[in-house]
Amino acid sequence: MSDTTTAPDSVFDEVVDLIGALVGDDLALLGVEVRRDTAFHEDLGLESVDLVTLGGLLADRYGPRVNLAEHLAEFELDDVIGLTVGRIADYVAAALGER
Amino acid sequence: MPVTEAEREPVAVVGMAVMLPGAPDLDTYWHNLRTGYDAITDVPADRRDPHFHAGVPDPTATPPPDRTYCHRGGFLAPFTIDAAGLGIVPNAVDTVEPDQLLSLRVAAAAVADAGGARALGDRNRVGVILGRGGYIGPRMVGLEHRVRTVRTVLRVLAELSPGLGAAELEVVRAALLEPLGPVRPESMINLVPNLAASRIANRLDLRGPAYTVDAACASSLLAVDQAVGELAANRCDAVLAGGVYHGHDDTFWAVFSQLRALSPSQRIRPLSATADGLLIGEGAGVVVLRRLADAQRDGNRVYAVIRGVGSASDGRTQSLFNPDTAGQRTALLRAWSAAGLDPTAPDAVGMVEAHSTGTPVGDAAELTALAEVFGAPPGACAVIGSVKSMIGHTMPAAGIAGLVKAVLAIHHGVLLPTLHCADPNPLLERTRFHTIDTAKPWEGVEPRRAAVNAFGFGGINAHVVLEQHVPPRRAAPARVAGAVRVDTSEPVLRLAADDPAELTRLLDAVERGERVAPTGGRFRLGLVGPTERRISLARRLLTRAGRPGWSWGTGDVWFTGTPLLREPGAKTAFVYPGLEAGFAPKVDDIAALLGETAPSTDTATVARHVAAVADVGMLLHRALTALGVRPDGVAGHSIGEWTAAVASDTRAGARPVIGLDGFPMPEVDYLALGCSIDDATAGIADEPHVVVSHDNAPRQTVLCGPRAALGRLATRFRAAGVIARPLPFATGFHTPMMRPYLAPYLTAIAEAGTRPGALPVWSATTVDRYPDDPAALLALAEDFLVRPVRFRELVERMYAEGYRVFVHMGAGQLGSFVADTLGDRPHLVINAASATRPGIAQLRRLTTALWVHGAHPDESVVDVSPARSGVPVRVSAPVLTVAESARGLLDRRAVPAAPGGVAAELSALVAETEGAVRAVVAATTAPPAVAAVTGTGTGAAAGAGPDARVGRTRVSVRDMPYLRGHRFFRQRPDWPDESDYRPVVPATTLVEWARQAAEREWPAEVVIAVRDIRFTRWLVAAPAREVEIRLERAVAGGSISVRIGEFATMSVEVAASYPRATGSPLEPGPVVGQVLTPSTIYGGRQMFHGPRFQGLTGIASHDGGLASGRVTVLPAPGAVLDNVGQLLGCWLQTRADRRVLAFPVRVAAITFHGPPPPVGAEVDCVVRPRVPDDTAVEMDAEVRHGDRVWARITGWHDIRLDCDHADHAVYAFPRDNALSRPLADGWWSAQDRWTTVASRDVFAGVYLNAPERAEYAEVPPRERRTWLLGRIAAKDAVRDLLPDRLFPAQIRVTGDGDRLLVRGHHTPSLPRLRVELARGAAAVSARVERTTGDV
C-alpha cells in the first residue's frame, strides 16, 4: 500500500515541518535541504530512538490513524536505518487515505 | 548458453583506485584532471642511462637502437608498498617486479574504496583481470645480467685478451656478480609476469579467476570486457579489472624510438593539429565491478554504470602498425549495440575519452571512426579529450586511466580539459566533438553518458559505454553509503582562538591558503576533511559561536566555546557495547595499523557474536591507548561490561567467558520498545513470564520472555503507538530466567580470577563502581546475569560523578542511548568505530572531537601516509658494473690516473644512481691509498706527469679545529670519541682548498671560477686521515682539474684578474613572512653547525620566490659559501614537510668577481631556490660585499634525505627525542621510514656509537635495516626507563637475535639490562625485559 502511494506535496511539507521540529535549528545549520530522498540517519543524523519522538509527533498531528510503530513493524532493520523522509510522507498519505 | 551482448545487464563501478604520473591516489588524480595538471617531466636521474639518453645528432633521423631522441615522459613518483598490511616480507620487496607491487597496492586501494573486501561478497566469486604487456621489468633485467650478460662479457674479454687466465676471468665474474647481491632462488617466482594479477588474488584472498590479458594499448579495456562477461555469465559476483604498465625499460623506449612514435618535440599533444608523436607514461588503475542489481541490493556506492563494451580486430589490413578505421568502427558499434543505444542520437554521448596518443596517423584514424559512428547531427555537441596530454601514454594501463577519468567526470558532473590543444586537429570539424581547455560543469542531459576508446598495436580495438547511475527513488542507503570516502590522508583542520571573531579570522586565513597553527584558545573548531560543504557549515556555526555554552558535533565538524575536558573534574569514560543488531564495524585497517589480525565480525551464533563484539572493543581500546586517549573510568552495556572488566584489568585472563561456546541459555527472546521503563513496566503487568531486561534510555526499554508472550505484547504496544522490534539474538541474560544456567559462567569467571582494576568499572547492575573485594566482585558477576541492565540510570550516575565525554567503543546505537539520557546537558558522545567509514577515518574524527573538547591525543598513530608505513619499491634496473675491488683489474698498462678518464665517467654514471647517494653519505673509513708524499697544506710535490701537482694534507679535528663547527651529530658534552660526532669537511671548504691550492701553484693568476663540482663522498675527519689533492692542467693557461681524494672533483678556471660581474643582479622583492634569526637557525638547530660556521645573522623570504641572508665572514675556509648553503637548507625547512634534511652533491659553477671578503666583514647573499622534486632542492645565488658582487653560484644541487620535522627533532636533539614510539606495556616500536640508504645512515649515525657502527658495517646489507631498527627501538625503550636523559650513543647494545644486552658506553651509571625484540614486517619493537622482582 504505502509503496504505491506517493505523498502529495501538502502532506510532504507537513512531514518536513515535523522533522524540522525534531531536528531543531540544526537543520538550517547543517544546510540540508529536506527532500524525498533525504535519509533519516545518514543525512539528518537521527538515531533509532528519534523515531520514537517522530511517531509521537505524527500521532499528535494526525491522530491514531497514523501509527508509525505499526508501520515500522513491517520493516527490515536495514530499511529502518535507510528510512527516508519521502517514505515517511508516503506512509502518512496512505494512512490518511489521501492520494 | 552464451549471453548475447544485448542481454547483458548493467555493471556498476563500485570502487576505483589509480597510481599515475602526478597522482598517487584517486583524489589527486581527480584534482589533476580538473585543474589540468601537466605531469610530464624529464626522465628521472635514477632511471636514465646516460648513454641511452646522451642525445642524437639529428632528432629527425632514426637514431641507432642504443639511443633515443626523447627524454621526457610520465613517471610515477617514488612509491612504497605497505608490506606489513599486505603480508609481504619487507626484504622480498626488492625481488618483486615493481609492476606487481604497483598493481597490488592499487587493487587494495580499489577494494578499500569499494568498502572493503566484505562489500564484494563471497570471495570465492571475486575475480581479478588485469591488462599487462609482456615487457621486461627491472628485476628481469637483473636476472638477464646474471644469466647471460656476465658470461657474454667474459667471453668477449677472452676474445679481446686471449692471455687472460681462468683465474683472472673468475675474479672478473665474481666482481660483476657481487654488486647484484646474493642469489635467492625462492624469489625467482617474483619475476613471473602473470603474478601482477595472481599476487592480488593471493594477498587479498580472492578466489575467482585471476589472470592478465595482453592486447597492447587496448589491454585494460579488454580486461574490463572480460570482467563484464564474467559478471554477465554469473561466474563472478565482483571483478577487479584494470591495467598496469610500469618499467620504462630502455628496450621499450628503443622500440618506440625506432618506430619514430615518440614526439621529437618532447611534447604530447593529443587531438592537436600540431601533434607529432607520443610520450610514454606509466602507472596502474583498477576498478571494482559488480552487477548493478547486486550493488544496489548491498548498498554499494555506484560511481557509474557500464552499459556496453565492444571489441574488434582490424583483420587483414595493410599493416600491423597503422591503425584501421574500420576495425575501430566495428568495436564502437558493438559496444553501442550492447548498450542498446543509438550512437547517432543527438544526446547519445556527452564526452568521449579518446585513445588519441598524439600521433598524426593514429589521431586521424580515430577521428574518422568517431565521425562515422557518432556523426554530427544538428544540435549534437560533446566534449572529446585524452588524459594522455597530462600523464603520457600509459600503454596497457591507458584504457583504465581513460575509463577512470570518464567515470569520475560522470560521477562529479564535470567535463574535463585536455592540455596542449590550442590548435585542434581539423578533422574534429567533421565530428560532433570539441576539446576544452578548462573544466566546466556537465549540465543539461541526464543520464550523463561517456565513452572510452583504447586501441592497440596489431589492430585490436576496444570501446566502453558508461552512464550515470540515477538511483531509483526508493533506494535505501545502506552500509556502504555514497557519502563515505575512503581516504587515507584526509586533512584535518583544527583552529583555536580566544574569541569567536578570531576563530572566523583564522578560518578566513585557512581559506586563503595560509598555514595556521592551532593555539591554546578556548574557542575550538575541528573539521575532518575540510570540504567546501564542511567549511560552509563551520561558517554558519561560527555565527552562533558567541552563545554561551553552545557546542556542535555533527557533520564531521566539531565546535565549542567551553571545552568539556577543561572544566575541573571533567572525566572521560569508555563505554563498551553489548550485542546489537546490524553489528558491522569497520576496523580492519586499524588492526593492520597495529600489526594485528583483523577481528572477526561473525554474528552467526551468540558465542561468536559475543567474541566479535569483545574483540572489536579491545582492538579499539588498544588503538585509543596508542593514540594517548585514556579513560577515567569504563562501563559496558550488557556483555560489554565483560569487555570493560577485561580492559580495566579487573578481570584476569585474556577474555574470560567471552566466546562462551556451548554455555547454556534459556529459551527466551528480547523485544525492544520505544518507550520509557515506566511505560514498559505498566504494559506488561498481565504477562507474568515477561520482565524488563534493559533500561537503555528514556526512549528505549527491552523486554525478555517467551516468544509467544512477546508477540502479544508487540502487537499491543504497536497499537498504542509504541515502536516494538524483536532483537535478532536470544540469551536470556539479565533476567531471572538465567538462574538455572549460571554455574558454568560463574565457574569460568572464578577460574579466570577477579581483582581490583586500575580503573573504575561502572556496573549497570548496581549503578555503582565495581567493589574491590573479590568475593563481592564474584557476587556481582552473578547479579549481572540475573538482574536488569540499568544503563540509563548508570549514565545519570556517571554524569553526576563528573563524566562528560563518553567514547563509545563500537559502531552501533549505544552512543545514542547516552545522548538520549543526557539530553541538552553538556556532554560529548563519540563513536570509536563506524559501520560506514574506515576505522582510521573514524579515529581521526574521534581525535578531532576530543581535541576540540580539550584532550591532547597523539595523532601520529593515525598518520598512515604511505611514506611512514611503507617499504620503498626500487624501480630502477641494476647497472652491470664491477665491484670496487676489481676496478682496473685487467689494466696492465701504467696509465696515470686521469680525472675525466674512465674512472671519472664511471663515477659520474654512478653518481646519478641511487647507489651514489649512498656513496655520498656513507663515511669511508680507509684513507686514500697513495704513496707517502706528505706535506702540510697543499704544497707542490712531484706529480705523476708534467702537468700534475700532487699535495697531501692531514685531515683531522686536531689539525683543523674549525671542523668542530661542522659536526653532524650531537653528543653529551665532554664525549670522548670524536668519531661519534662525525665531523665532516664542508663541501665548500673542499672548494676553498682547491681555490687556494690553484693560486698557490700558479701564483700569477687568481681563481675566477670553479665549475662541475661534484661531491662524491663525505670527507669525515675522525679518525684523522691523509688526503691527496691533485691538480692537473692539461693545457698551459687552460683550466685546472682538481681531484680531492675520492671526495670531490671540480674544474678551476684562473685568469690574471677578476672579471666584472655582468648581467642583471638578483633583486629581491619586498620581504614576506617572518625573518629568521640566528636563535632559530642555530639555537633551534635547523642547522647543525657550531659557532665556527654560524655566520648567518638573518634570513628573509621575498616576494617573487627569492630568499636573502646576511652573513658575517668567519675565518673557517669556505665558511661564507657554506652559509649560503645553510640559507638554502633553512629555506627548505620552512617549506617542506618531508625530506627536510639536505646536503650538497654538486654545483654547476661558482664564479668569483673579486677577492674573498675579509674576516669580520658583512656580506649579503640572495638566492633563488627551487624544488625540482621531492628528492632535491636547488639554487642559484649571488653574494655581494658592499655594492659589488663577489661570487655567483649557479646550479647548486642538494639531495634531500628522508626526514620529516618530527624526525628532524631527533636529529637535532637526540637526547630529548626518540624515533620510536611507545606502545603498550613498555614496548617501543621503531618503524622503517627510509627510502634511501643514505637517509638511513644519517640516523644510524644519530643512534650508534663507534663500536656499534663497526658492527653495523659487518651486517649483511639486506639485514641492516632490521638490525638498525632493533638497535633504535632497544635504545629508546631503555632511555624511556631511565631517570636521566641519555644520548643514544651512551647506550651500548650487543647481541644477536631477539635478546639483546645493554650497558653504558662511556656512561658508568647505566645498569646492565636485557632487551627483548619483536620483529614486525616494517617495524621492530623492543622492551626492557622484566626480571623477577622489578615489576
Side-chain angles (χ1 to χ4, degrees), chain B residues 887-1134:
Chain B
R887 299 261 162 94
L889 179 73
L890 303 180
D891 197 344
R892 288 153 179 190
R893 292 164 298 161
V895 180
V902 179
E905 195 175 300
L906 249 182
S907 105
L909 175 85
V910 175
E912 294 295 335
T913 68
E914 225 177 338
V917 176
R918 171 186 346 185
V920 169
V921 179
T924 55
T925 47
V930 185
V933 184
T934 53
T936 52
T938 57
D947 308 312
R949 322 268 174 112
V950 181
R952 299 177 62 75
T953 188
R954 185 178 161 80
V955 176
S956 75
V957 172
R958 198 165 167 188
D959 294 292
M960 300 167 175
Y962 57 84
L963 293 178
R964 287 187 216 284
H966 206 261
R967 289 160 157 171
F968 279 6
F969 306 127
R970 277 201 159 178
Q971 302 296 351
R972 187 186 70 197
D974 79 358
W975 189 249
D977 190 338
E978 180 67 33
S979 74
D980 287 340
Y981 290 104
R982 195 176 296 179
V984 172
V985 178
T988 56
T989 301
L990 297 172
V991 174
E992 179 63 13
W993 288 356
R995 196 189 69 78
Q996 289 180 7
E999 292 191 352
R1000 197 171 303 148
E1001 297 302 324
W1002 287 275
E1005 292 162 299
V1006 292
V1007 171
I1008 60 163
V1010 185
R1011 300 186 193 277
D1012 298 330
I1013 314 169
R1014 286 180 182 266
F1015 307 110
T1016 41
R1017 281 175 191 266
W1018 280 350
L1019 174 45
V1020 179
R1025 66 167 82 216
E1026 297 232 326
V1027 175
E1028 182 190 73
I1029 300 183
R1030 170 182 288 263
L1031 294 83
E1032 286 199 349
R1033 204 168 192 183
V1035 182
S1039 61
I1040 304 157
S1041 294
V1042 179
R1043 168 178 288 269
I1044 302 177
E1046 60 209 286
F1047 309 101
T1049 59
M1050 63 199 87
S1051 168
V1052 173
E1053 258 175 55
V1054 292
S1057 62
Y1058 292 106
R1060 290 187 66 82
T1062 54
S1064 48
L1066 286 174
E1067 284 301 342
V1071 172
V1072 290
Q1074 198 189 347
V1075 173
L1076 295 185
T1077 62
S1079 66
T1080 315
I1081 302 166
Y1082 302 113
R1085 281 196 49 102
Q1086 282 198 359
M1087 291 295 111
F1088 61 83
H1089 302 73
R1092 288 178 174 88
F1093 283 89
Q1094 293 181 355
L1096 276 169
T1097 58
I1099 298 180
S1101 290
H1102 298 267
D1103 223 3
L1106 298 184
S1108 73
R1110 175 149 270 230
V1111 171
T1112 304
V1113 178
L1114 298 175
V1120 173
L1121 294 179
D1122 182 77
N1123 290 164
V1124 180
Q1126 292 177 25
L1127 201 167
L1128 180 65
C1130 288
W1131 178 89
L1132 176 70
Q1133 291 206 357
T1134 59

Side-chain angles (χ1 to χ4, degrees), chain A residues 25 29-30 50 52-53 67, chain B residues 537 540 544 674 699 718:
Chain A
D25 58 358
L29 278 180
L30 274 172
D50 295 310
V52 173
T53 307
N67 186 331
Chain B
L537 168 58
R540 288 191 295 273
R544 304 191 184 188
R699 291 181 286 176
R718 286 176 189 143

Side-chain angles (χ1 to χ4, degrees), chain B residues 539-563:
Chain B
R539 291 206 170 284
R540 288 191 295 273
L541 295 179
L542 290 181
T543 62
R544 304 191 184 188
R547 298 183 185 184
W550 189 75
S551 294
W552 177 269
T554 312
D556 294 336
V557 181
W558 287 266
F559 164 80
T560 190
T562 47

Side-chain angles (χ1 to χ4, degrees), chain B residues 631-875:
Chain B
D632 299 296
V634 294
H637 179 261
S638 178
I639 57 104
E641 216 168 286
W642 288 346
T643 323
V646 173
S648 65
D649 270 347
T650 301
R651 195 161 287 159
R655 46 180 217 184
V657 210
I658 292 165
L660 59 187
D661 220 354
F663 282 18
M665 298 166 199
E667 285 279 321
V668 284
D669 280 339
Y670 290 114
L671 181 72
L673 297 177
C675 67
S676 68
I677 185 171
D678 292 345
D679 291 346
T681 308
I684 60 171
D686 58 348
E687 288 284 2
H689 300 297
V690 174
V691 295
V692 169
S693 56
H694 302 68
D695 174 10
N696 285 340
R699 291 181 286 176
Q700 195 182 83
T701 307
V702 178
L703 304 179
C704 184
R707 179 166 298 179
L710 290 182
R712 288 191 295 275
L713 287 170
T715 308
R716 193 198 306 164
F717 273 106
R718 286 176 189 143
V722 174
I723 294 171
R725 299 195 62 78
L727 296 181
F729 44 83
T731 63
F733 292 170
H734 320 301
T735 71
M737 284 84 94
M738 265 306 284
R739 200 163 283 288
Y741 308 98
L742 292 177
Y745 297 87
L746 299 180
T747 307
I749 291 171
E751 277 174 2
T754 53
R755 61 191 176 212
L759 284 173
V761 183
W762 290 87
S763 159
T765 311
T766 60
V767 191
D768 204 344
R769 284 182 58 160
Y770 270 29
D772 285 345
D773 171 39
L777 272 171
L778 205 54
L780 177 56
E782 177 176 341
D783 284 352
F784 168 86
L785 286 168
V786 298
R787 293 173 56 186
V789 172
R790 297 158 65 191
F791 189 74
R792 178 186 56 84
E793 291 177 75
L794 179 66
V795 171
E796 290 283 1
R797 173 72 200 272
M798 291 177 76
Y799 196 83
E801 296 282 339
Y803 288 91
R804 293 294 177 271
V805 172
F806 294 83
V807 179
H808 169 207
M809 307 295 276
Q813 282 188 53
L814 185 59
S816 71
F817 298 162
V818 177
D820 192 34
T821 303
L822 295 179
D824 291 336
R825 284 174 280 179
H827 71 279
L828 172 73
V829 177
I830 178 87
N831 287 0
S834 161
T836 52
R837 67 171 66 88
I840 288 164
Q842 183 62 25
L843 287 181
R844 206 171 275 129
R845 282 154 178 80
L846 173 109
T847 53
T848 302
L850 291 176
W851 176 83
V852 164
H853 282 285
H856 306 283
D858 169 12
E859 237 71 28
S860 60
V861 182
V862 281
D863 173 15
V864 288
S865 60
R868 282 199 89 82
S869 64
V871 177
V873 176
R874 198 162 48 87
V875 300

